[in-house]
Amino acid sequence: MTRGARWFPWIVLGLAELYLAAGLIPPRIPEGTMRLDALGRLPVVDRGRLKPVDTLARASLMSISGRQTFTGADGKSGTAVRWLLDLMTDRLRSESVAAKHRVFRIESDQVLAALDLKERPGLRYALEEFEGKIGKIQAEARRASAVPSGARDLFDRKILELWEKLQVYRSFRDLEAPRIVPPVSGRTDWLSFLDAFHAVQEGGGENPSALGLGRILAAYAEGRTDDFNRELAQYGMSLEQSFPAGIRHARHEELFNRFEPFYRGLTLYLIA
């Protein structure tokens, strides 16, 4: 065996380790940009489980679009966290940004025809392309839901699927979800931003976390980068004092998401 052949397996192993280690390196954030990565590490409660915003955004976008990134009106790709923020700040803008993102995957040619949409590569459409047909979608979904599940045809199933996607989308846009406001003194439940606002109006006292999140969302919607980063840093520090275990859990899970162990393992398997 030649010296090169003897060392080859060790070289391959070293390269594999470097590839895996690269997934643990935090992404480089250009100076003067919003720290969306830090926001992605904030904790939320979704379906009874504490998780980072990053996990919630990825899973929600995947359920609507079939992937964890989106394509904006400019043709550029964006992260799931950016999509979620665009959606949660939609009501704060004079013109919707979220409605221009091509995130709704519509596979049924019958549904596309009903919405006067033409088939395109990827089969993903922006809300603004069929927003005028939401009433029709709702009516068809109501009709299809009255049909016994075993008797529903393909159109019935696909129109119900689209309606469910629209409900997820609407819940974020109207701030009914996620449950991102941590408990205040005397309570144990996490609240959505909308529920926290209503609780304050009903005499529940001030909610510093809700106010902090409100400032973060306003700064994002208005493009105030410095204010966004400052408010986010202050909010993160307050959570570290109040919910240290939750912060640690969210950060570890966000690191797991970024590392993408299954994808990296599959890549190494295919190369091998």
Side-chain angles (χ1 to χ4, degrees):
M1 179 181 294
T2 65
R3 180 178 298 180
R6 189 184 309 118
W7 283 101
F8 181 75
W10 294 103
I11 294 173
V12 172
L13 178 61
L15 291 174
E17 291 177 346
L18 286 174
Y19 172 70
L20 293 175
L24 298 174
I25 300 174
R28 182 180 178 276
I29 308 300
E31 188 175 350
T33 59
M34 292 186 178
R35 293 298 306 272
L36 301 189
D37 61 311
L39 189 137
R41 291 190 288 271
L42 293 181
V44 297
V45 171
D46 177 56
R47 300 182 184 183
R49 186 173 79 82
L50 186 73
K51 61 186 69 173
V53 168
D54 181 75
T55 295
L56 172 72
R58 287 171 182 259
S60 301
L61 185 56
M62 176 66 79
S63 71
I64 292 174
S65 186
R67 62 183 186 184
Q68 297 181 2
T69 59
F70 72 91
T71 301
D74 57 2
K76 296 181 180 179
S77 178
T79 66
V81 170
R82 180 176 291 279
W83 166 75
L84 182 61
L85 271 174
D86 285 345
L87 198 47
M88 291 181 68
T89 57
D90 199 57
R91 301 295 193 187
L92 302 177
R93 303 172 187 267
S94 59
E95 182 179 0
S96 175
V97 172
K100 299 180 184 299
H101 300 333
R102 294 183 177 183
V103 296
F104 288 94
R105 182 170 171 82
I106 305 176
E107 302 170 339
S108 168
D109 55 351
Q110 292 176 298
V111 173
L112 289 174
L115 301 180
D116 296 326
L117 297 173
K118 294 184 178 180
E119 186 174 324
R120 67 161 64 113
L123 300 173
R124 292 179 178 86
Y125 301 83
L127 179 66
E128 69 175 10
E129 296 182 83
F130 61 91
E131 194 166 13
K133 299 294 179 66
I134 288 182
K136 182 176 183 179
I137 297 171
Q138 182 178 24
E140 289 290 352
R142 186 180 295 117
R143 177 197 58 76
S145 65
V147 177
S149 58
R152 292 171 186 164
D153 59 19
L154 181 60
F155 178 79
D156 292 339
R157 294 195 297 273
K158 291 300 181 181
I159 202 70
L160 284 171
E161 181 181 290
L162 177 58
W163 181 245
E164 289 173 1
K165 292 178 179 181
L166 284 167
Q167 297 317 295
V168 173
Y169 186 98
R170 180 196 58 77
S171 69
F172 291 138
R173 184 191 61 190
D174 294 346
L175 299 178
E176 296 175 3
R179 286 158 59 187
I180 195 171
V181 182
V184 294
S185 177
R187 300 181 65 106
T188 60
D189 53 329
W190 288 62
L191 300 175
S192 69
F193 191 83
L194 185 63
D195 287 341
F197 177 75
H198 287 161
V200 170
Q201 282 192 319
E202 293 168 5
E206 284 193 1
N207 189 321
S209 294
L211 292 173
L213 285 167
R215 289 191 292 268
I216 291 170
L217 293 178
Y220 179 81
E222 296 167 12
R224 294 183 279 113
T225 299
D226 291 343
D227 291 343
F228 176 86
N229 291 338
R230 183 181 63 257
E231 295 291 348
L232 181 58
Q234 292 176 353
Y235 180 75
M237 286 189 291
S238 70
L239 284 188
E240 285 181 353
Q241 296 175 357
S242 305
F243 304 95
I247 283 286
R248 286 196 299 271
H249 175 84
R251 286 176 176 173
H252 291 160
E253 187 169 328
E254 188 273 339
L255 177 61
F256 180 87
N257 293 342
R258 179 157 39 88
F259 181 59
E260 299 182 310
F262 303 113
Y263 170 78
R264 290 181 182 277
L266 178 62
T267 300
L268 291 176
Y269 174 79
L270 294 175
I271 292 176

